Amino acid sequence: MRIRSIHVVLAGLLGAAQFATPAFAQSTAGTPPQAAASTAPNPAPVHPELAGVFEQFGGIAGLTALNEEFMALMLADPRLEPYFRNVDRPRVTRQLTEQFCAVLGGGCAYSGRDMVEAHAAFKIERAHFNALVEVLQVAMDKRGIPFRAQNKLLAVLAPMHREIVND
């Protein structure tokens, strides 16, 4: 297993860590998405030039399977489990899939909140964000996603750490 440091990810890529960061987790007690009131960056900027990468992830079916694996790994990781323990897991998994699909040019619309709002109730340190990126990389490796495709997603998500890390 190869774990890339966040510095390499940030330097070479994406902003990915946001994966996803994406998105850390959204509390089930959260408020619905706000209409254009937020000035936070778009949590799912579309990159149509990455449509080929979208296909390398296996399209919607592949992203769904990836995010199901990702959620299971986050719940099994003691560094991340507290953040995901009380969330609506199917909703968070669906929104991660929407977010990844949108940024990879797959034609999806992201229905979640912006990253600042979604993570405001959590004390998220850089170490937690880095742990999330590590777990996403493990999930992508388990799914057989090519290394270069992983890096392209991570490069798009990584800048989101500015909106997610808040402690």
Side-chain angles (χ1 to χ4, degrees):
M1 169 172 69
R2 55 187 184 273
I3 300 294
R4 297 167 293 278
S5 77
I6 190 66
H7 301 291
V8 171
V9 170
L10 291 175
L13 352 153
L14 69 46
Q18 193 306 305
F19 41 116
T21 224
F24 245 88
Q26 296 181 14
S27 167
T28 56
T31 57
Q34 303 263 325
S38 177
T39 59
N42 180 352
V46 176
H47 292 272
E49 71 279 9
L50 295 179
V53 177
F54 172 73
E55 295 306 323
Q56 290 182 302
F57 274 80
I60 292 291
L63 288 173
T64 299
L66 168 65
N67 283 306
E68 289 169 353
E69 176 77 26
F70 184 32
M71 180 60 74
L73 291 171
M74 289 187 293
L75 289 167
D77 189 305
R79 301 169 298 176
L80 301 174
E81 187 273 338
Y83 293 101
F84 295 91
R85 175 185 307 142
N86 297 316
V87 300
D88 179 345
R89 294 177 195 133
R91 180 179 55 85
V92 172
T93 301
R94 177 181 41 79
Q95 289 177 337
L96 285 169
T97 299
E98 292 171 357
Q99 184 182 40
F100 292 5
C101 175
V103 302
L104 292 175
C108 299
Y110 172 66
S111 65
R113 297 178 284 169
D114 68 60
M115 296 298 99
V116 173
E117 182 183 347
H119 301 94
F122 302 97
K123 290 187 177 194
I124 300 171
E125 298 174 0
R126 169 83 60 174
H128 299 122
F129 183 81
N130 292 351
L132 186 100
V133 173
E134 289 174 16
V135 170
L136 176 59
Q137 291 169 326
V138 169
M140 290 188 290
D141 284 343
K142 283 183 152 194
R143 299 286 312 151
I145 296 165
F147 183 75
R148 290 181 70 129
Q150 292 182 29
N151 283 345
K152 293 201 180 213
L153 174 63
L154 292 176
V156 172
L157 297 177
M160 294 182 196
H161 79 278
R162 294 177 194 100
E163 289 87 50
I164 294 170
V165 175
N166 57 24
D167 192 34

